[in-house]
Amino acid sequence: MDFKSTFADWNVGFKERPLVISGPCGAETHEQVLTTAKQLKLQGINLFRAGIWKPRTRPGSFEGMGETALGWLADVKQQTGLPVTVEVATPQHIELALKYNIDVLWIGARTTVNPFQVQELASALKGVNVPVMVKNPVNPDLALWVGAIERIYKAGIKKLAAIHRGFSSYENSTYRNKPNWEIPIELRRQLPGLPLICDPSHICGNTFMLLYISQFALDLQYDGLMLESHFNPSAALSDAKQQLTPEQLEELLSKLIVRNPTTDNALALSKLEDLRDQIDEVDDQIVTLLAERMHIARLIGEYKFNHNIAVLQPERWEEIVRTRTLSGVEKKLTEQFILSLYTLIHKESIYQQTQQMEKEKDAEGESKFSNH
Ligand code: PEP
Ligand code: MN
């Protein structure tokens, strides 16, 4: 999939990074939607969002106002001039959204996980000229995210964007949905022409970390931000804890620093080049050292095979983690980084050792065979 998409073709008044999408988690009442939208209009947002059909984890929660609320969004367009976007999860949602001239559609995280459902949406989008934003699936699976984008693209939708809203996990975390930044970074490497939007609201699940996550996303050169807002967040029927008032949104936006992708200051550029050359050299050494380490691991595999010793000795692993952490922390690396790094190195080491042991076993089997 080789394409370039830009918000400039979306008819959402986009002039500069970041594109700002805001509005309530869910459209609840005519008053809530209109009051919030009018206040947001003053903050200069590009696109007004509101959930019309809400995918809720448990039944009995507020599930959205459906078609009635589409009429409210038509009023938002008419009274503020703001373009509007809603989540669609079924072909019928698409049909209704288009009937009410919704400007942009988005596919939610719980839909992206299901290729059957995404394909149904793709089929319903054939021949339609509407921009579509695809949220990441709830689970940290890049291929599923890319697959959903491909299905929509193949249906002829070329105005596309991805929304990063974080990934759910069973363990407790400071995040509602862990960002796992390496996944959107890899998405960007695989699909460089695809605009990337961050949804800090669903990553954080609260309002106090929103600025930090928004700034982090901008520093990774995201193209847009989707932030939930409500004229009275504490009364919201869904996601009350993570919604900002329009004034709070304005404050957050005013604090963001949009850094440039590069600079035309020749001196700064040459200094950067120089530092990057140094990084390239260090990386080369890292790869050489890792290859050496794995070579030794294979020798150990051979030795363990010949002496019938098990691959994993938990005490040895324990000792590696302890000593490497001590030495790493002394050198200003974090404990978490050392643990993650060595978990990866150790996994590869064990793999290399077992491969070697398999080889030894096969060789032994062959020589026995040839002796008979
Ligand atoms: C939402 O945007 O309100 C929503 C339901 O998001 P997600 O699909 O990311 O959970
Ligand atoms: Mn929400």
Side-chain angles (χ1 to χ4, degrees), residues 343-359:
T343 303
L344 202 64
I345 291 179
H346 191 240
K347 189 173 153 199
E348 179 65 15
S349 241
I350 288 182
Y351 173 73
Q352 297 272 351
Q353 284 187 41
T354 41
Q355 287 288 97
Q356 188 63 36
M357 290 168 95
E358 282 299 312
K359 263 195 206 159

Side-chain angles (χ1 to χ4, degrees), residues 23-26 49 51 54-56 87 106 110 135 176 199 201-202 228 238-240 242-243:
C25 177
R49 64 149 280 157
K54 297 302 302 171
R56 306 312 300 279
E87 173 178 348
W106 92 76
R110 291 162 191 77
K135 284 202 173 195
R176 177 174 175 199
D199 171 350
S201 305
H202 291 90
E228 286 186 340
S238 60
D239 290 354
Q242 69 193 34
Q243 303 198 58

Side-chain angles (χ1 to χ4, degrees), residues 290-302:
L290 284 172
E292 225 170 275
R293 196 188 194 283
M294 294 310 155
H295 173 69
I296 301 173
R298 288 193 293 274
L299 293 180
I300 292 187
E302 196 180 321

